[in-house]
């Protein structure tokens, strides 16, 4: 595959096209690669996905209207390539939701932990101790449907509406997946915090009944 | 619009932090969390959590070799 598909380019390619495309790609390549890394969770596959995105973008560059949102256009291509070739076929995955988990899971855990409370500013201590690998690992562990929206919102900074367009799902679905994804992310982050012995005890508060 | 109580304010935390609400509501919540000892620290924590996720997931630039390979594809 790869370069041979370029032969199917319809309009004749001018040096000017190539230059404009190079400038556009140059500007967005780093963030596309970051998104590809998080989406595929694997460097080799991320490189493949980036190349596929790059080629698809070049092939359809004649459809791009200068002055419109280049970033959204490129991410649309990235997400399509990802959905076509990298995401598992499962449509709406059955999702184990932590219904007992609220939006403030991590904050509550930190407040309840004697270990953290002993450190003057418990929230600061927790956040400062979470390493890159913890956060990436927590994100990687989310179900695809949640992971995608969290990546697009929290790392790539897209709005609910933009994410709805990128994934072709209703805004309400974006919101529920994002909010549930962030809840699960907090559960994972707390697990990492404990596993790494940042915390010794995870005692439920008196009267809460535990889990 | 009726005034929001703490429970309602807390439910809107993501929409607030994502900037996904109208100005009137945004200002109402902003005033509420500035004054409320229950909601204020929780909002503050979530804001830092989101910032942390963004920060910890940063990556370096695309490897030079990969970039070179991609741009070479345009020459063919
Ligand atoms: Zn309140």
């Amino acid at each position: 595959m790869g370069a041979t598909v370029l032969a199917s380019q319809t309009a004749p390619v001018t040096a000017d096209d190539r230059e404009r495309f190079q400038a556009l790609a140059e500007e967005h390549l780093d963030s596309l690669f970051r998104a590809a890394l998080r989406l595929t969770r694997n460097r080799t596959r991320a490189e493949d996905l980036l190349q596929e995105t790059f080629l698809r973008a070049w092939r359809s560059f004649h459809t791009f209207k200068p002055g419109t949102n280049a970033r959204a256009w490129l991410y649309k291509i990235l997400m399509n390539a990802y959905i076509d070739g990298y995401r598992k076929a499962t449509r709406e995955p059955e999702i184990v939701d932590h219904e007992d988990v609220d939006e403030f899971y991590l904050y509550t855990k930190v407040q309840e932990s004697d270990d953290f409370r002993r450190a003057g500013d418990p929230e600061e201590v927790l956040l400062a101790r979470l390493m890159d690998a913890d956060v990436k690992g927590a994100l990687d562990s989310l179900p695809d449907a949640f992971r995608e929206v969290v990546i697009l919102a929290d790392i790539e900074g897209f709005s609910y509406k933009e994410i709805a367009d990128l994934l072709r799902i209703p805004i309400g679905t974006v919101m529920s997946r994002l909010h549930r994804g962030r809840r699960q992310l907090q559960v994972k982050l707390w697990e990492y915090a404990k596993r790494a012995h940042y915390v010794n005890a995870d005692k439920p508060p008196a009267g809460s009944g535990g889990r | 619009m009726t005034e929001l109580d703490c429970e309602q304010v807390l439910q809107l935390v993501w929409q607030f932090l994502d900037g996904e609400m109208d100005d009137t509501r945004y200002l109402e919540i902003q005033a509420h969390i500035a004054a409320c000892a229950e909601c204020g620290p929780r909002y503050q924590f979530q804001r830092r959590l989101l910032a942390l996720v963004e920060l910890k997931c940063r990556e370096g630039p695309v490897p030079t070799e990969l970039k070179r390979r991609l741009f070479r594809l345009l020459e063919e």
Side-chain angles (χ1 to χ4, degrees):
Chain A
M1 246 210 75
T4 52
V5 291
L6 289 180
S8 64
Q9 184 104 21
T10 44
V13 179
T14 67
D16 182 50
D17 289 337
R18 193 173 292 134
E19 233 167 74
R20 283 191 304 121
F21 181 75
Q22 270 176 357
L24 189 79
E26 185 81 47
E27 190 185 338
H28 298 283
L29 219 47
D30 290 344
S31 72
L32 287 166
F33 186 53
R34 173 186 59 207
L37 280 167
R38 293 274 66 75
L39 287 166
T40 62
R41 294 176 282 199
N42 172 291
R43 186 159 283 269
T44 308
R45 283 189 298 157
E47 293 193 2
D48 289 347
L49 175 57
L50 186 68
Q51 173 163 326
E52 176 67 18
T53 303
F54 185 86
L55 286 173
R56 285 189 186 195
W58 172 234
R59 261 181 284 153
S60 60
F61 187 49
H62 59 280
T63 68
F64 174 71
K65 297 180 200 69
T68 61
N69 189 339
R71 188 160 191 267
W73 180 72
L74 286 167
Y75 272 77
K76 181 87 186 174
I77 296 169
L78 172 76
M79 293 313 293
N80 285 344
Y82 165 72
I83 290 165
D84 291 348
Y86 296 81
R87 182 162 72 180
K88 286 181 220 77
T90 50
R91 294 313 310 147
E92 192 66 28
E94 49 54 71
I95 279 151
V96 188
D97 206 354
H98 303 260
E99 282 307 337
D100 55 328
V101 170
D102 73 0
E103 309 303 342
F104 301 94
Y105 179 85
L106 200 52
Y107 177 84
T108 308
K109 283 291 177 192
V110 173
Q111 292 295 314
E112 287 171 3
S113 156
D114 292 339
D115 270 15
F116 276 107
R117 274 218 311 274
R118 259 195 298 275
D121 184 353
E123 299 94 75
E124 177 59 37
V125 171
L126 171 83
L127 295 178
R129 283 186 188 176
L130 286 168
M131 300 288 111
D132 289 20
D134 297 332
V135 177
K136 287 176 181 171
L139 186 56
D140 287 357
S141 78
L142 298 183
D144 286 351
F146 293 176
R147 215 161 47 79
E148 290 157 13
V149 290
V150 173
I151 290 168
L152 291 172
D154 294 351
I155 301 175
E156 302 305 327
F158 286 106
S159 70
Y160 296 173
K161 172 75 171 68
E162 287 171 318
I163 297 171
D165 292 342
L166 288 171
L167 295 173
R168 281 166 287 177
I169 53 176
I171 287 192
T173 308
V174 172
M175 287 172 67
S176 83
R177 288 184 187 179
L178 180 60
H179 300 176
R180 290 157 84 191
R182 285 170 176 167
R183 291 207 290 267
Q184 285 202 23
L185 192 68
Q186 294 181 64
V187 174
K188 272 287 162 191
L189 287 174
W190 182 245
E191 275 176 27
Y192 278 106
K194 284 188 298 182
R195 195 174 308 163
H197 299 288
Y198 304 148
V199 191
N200 300 319
D202 177 25
K203 292 183 294 256
S208 81
R211 280 170 284 182
Chain B
M1 209 183 315
T2 53
E3 213 178 296
L4 299 169
D5 60 28
C6 286
E7 195 184 330
Q8 291 167 313
V9 167
L10 291 176
Q11 264 167 17
L12 290 167
V13 63
W14 299 130
Q15 277 156 272
F16 178 88
L17 294 177
D18 291 333
E20 300 268 356
M21 60 174 52
D22 63 61
D23 291 352
T24 320
R25 182 129 284 184
Y26 189 90
L27 292 171
E28 184 191 349
I29 292 182
Q30 201 171 42
H32 181 107
I33 57 176
C36 179
E38 189 71 16
C39 301
R42 284 175 174 77
Y43 263 66
Q44 186 60 27
F45 184 78
Q46 301 309 71
R47 189 196 300 279
R48 287 158 84 187
L49 180 63
L50 291 186
L52 180 88
V53 171
E54 194 272 330
L55 179 73
K56 297 297 188 189
C57 290
R58 287 201 186 149
E59 296 285 343
V62 174
T64 317
E65 182 42 46
L66 173 58
K67 200 179 210 172
R68 205 175 291 139
R69 203 168 74 220
L70 293 179
F71 284 126
R72 215 180 294 129
L73 292 171
L74 304 180
E75 309 297 332
E76 293 170 19

